[in-house]
Amino acid sequence: MQHSESYKAQKVIEMVKQGSLPATLYCYKPVNEYTLDIFNSGTFWFSSPMNFNDSFDCKVYPSKESARKRIKDQLEKKGILLTDEAIEEKVTDEEVKKAVDKVMNGKGILCLTPHPDNILMWSHYADNHKGVCLELEVKACPEFFVYPVKVTYAAEYPTFNLGEDTNSIYATKYKDWAYEDEIRILKDRVGKHKFAPLCLKSVIFGCCADEETKQKVKMAIAGNGNLKHVTYKNAIQDERCFQLHVE
């Protein structure tokens, strides 16, 4: 098991070297008890896609044909032969929905991006520019970033074939979200996952973050002796253009 995890972490490093995975990724957050817990516990929460803010996120088109074939194959292995009509009766819409829900609840996901200066993401995910954006260094903790998947933006739901590789269904969003340029980290369970302290490089405060918010974050980080290296930056509004500058 350890060898397998080490191999996957090495693959992440290779992806960075090859340019298929950014060396630095960012995570937008509001400042609340859950975000402060990141600093206190040294963990990130990986969510179920069922809890995402966009109800269309990870939406799929289930293939009944693949479900029928899978059930038929499983029964034949047990020596049970059924007609196509009998299989059809077993593969109801409800059964297919249960299979999809089971798959969806089987992964924990952390949503990241290579961009710390996106105005819309600051608005959507960081409490209207009053929150933070966390700078993460991939090479400092490659095992934490196993397994990275780049999000695909499309107009149609991906087809869900029961029993096949399902990574694509966790990483497909509606095409209008393409500006996020999102990269998702997939884990085998929902919940908290530890990161190496050096992975957290800096905290960027939103352009509308007040001093009270900044002090809350700094106090939480100061309370974790492993995060003394973390630096602080600010997102600054451009005076002339619709832009943010991180300084």
Side-chain angles (χ1 to χ4, degrees):
M1 182 67 177
Q2 283 187 336
H3 174 74
S4 175
E5 291 304 309
S6 176
Y7 173 77
K8 291 176 183 177
Q10 188 57 43
K11 291 293 289 183
V12 167
I13 293 174
E14 288 176 14
M15 290 173 73
V16 172
K17 289 179 179 177
Q18 294 166 0
S20 58
L21 180 66
T24 304
L25 290 168
Y26 298 88
C27 186
Y28 290 87
K29 292 286 185 184
V31 174
N32 53 31
E33 60 181 300
Y34 304 109
T35 298
L36 295 178
D37 184 65
I38 294 173
F39 312 128
N40 294 327
S41 66
T43 63
F44 275 91
W45 178 268
F46 282 65
S47 300
S48 162
M50 307 294 279
N51 297 325
F52 285 172
N53 64 318
D54 175 17
S55 59
F56 286 89
D57 201 337
C58 294
K59 193 81 172 175
V60 298
Y61 177 76
S63 167
K64 280 192 177 181
E65 186 177 338
S66 69
R68 292 189 198 102
K69 184 179 185 304
R70 184 173 174 81
I71 289 175
K72 187 175 182 179
D73 290 345
Q74 289 176 340
L75 291 174
E76 286 180 353
K77 285 179 182 177
K78 297 176 182 178
I80 303 171
L81 299 178
L82 292 179
T83 63
D84 290 342
E85 290 76 13
I87 295 290
E88 181 75 29
E89 289 179 9
K90 282 184 171 292
V91 185
T92 63
D93 289 341
E94 184 62 28
E95 288 302 314
V96 172
K97 183 181 183 303
K98 284 181 182 178
V100 172
D101 288 348
K102 184 177 180 181
V103 170
M104 283 301 177
N105 286 314
K107 293 284 185 184
I109 300 175
L110 180 65
C111 303
L112 306 172
T113 177
H115 311 294
D117 55 359
N118 186 282
I119 292 174
L120 286 178
M121 282 194 279
W122 274 106
S123 299
H124 290 152
Y125 305 121
D127 193 19
N128 294 316
H129 299 263
K130 292 179 284 189
V132 293
C133 183
L134 309 181
E135 181 181 4
L136 306 175
E137 188 174 345
V138 176
K139 285 186 178 180
C141 185
E143 60 275 9
F144 176 75
F145 296 92
V146 174
Y147 184 79
V149 178
K150 191 169 178 59
V151 170
T152 298
Y153 300 93
E156 295 182 355
Y157 305 148
T159 300
F160 173 66
N161 292 307
L162 200 64
E164 293 184 3
D165 175 61
T166 55
N167 280 353
S168 64
I169 70 171
Y170 298 111
T172 303
K173 293 183 74 169
Y174 180 53
K175 59 185 177 63
D176 284 6
W177 293 97
Y179 65 86
E180 293 185 344
D181 197 17
E182 188 177 340
I183 292 172
R184 293 182 168 175
I185 312 303
L186 308 184
K187 299 289 188 187
D188 288 332
R189 64 174 177 83
V190 172
K192 291 182 178 181
H193 292 266
K194 274 200 165 293
F195 62 90
L198 289 176
C199 177
L200 180 59
K201 192 172 181 181
S202 77
V203 173
I204 305 166
F205 293 109
C207 61
C208 296
D210 57 26
E211 277 306 312
E212 182 182 356
T213 296
K214 293 180 180 181
Q215 285 307 311
K216 280 182 182 178
V217 171
K218 290 179 179 179
M219 284 180 64
I221 290 176
N224 185 336
N226 294 318
L227 298 178
K228 291 180 179 179
H229 62 279
V230 173
T231 58
Y232 301 100
K233 302 176 184 178
N234 294 287
I236 309 294
Q237 283 181 293
D238 188 274
E239 292 183 3
R240 180 67 181 83
C241 304
F242 291 102
Q243 290 181 342
L244 288 168
H245 304 284
V246 176
E247 301 174 359

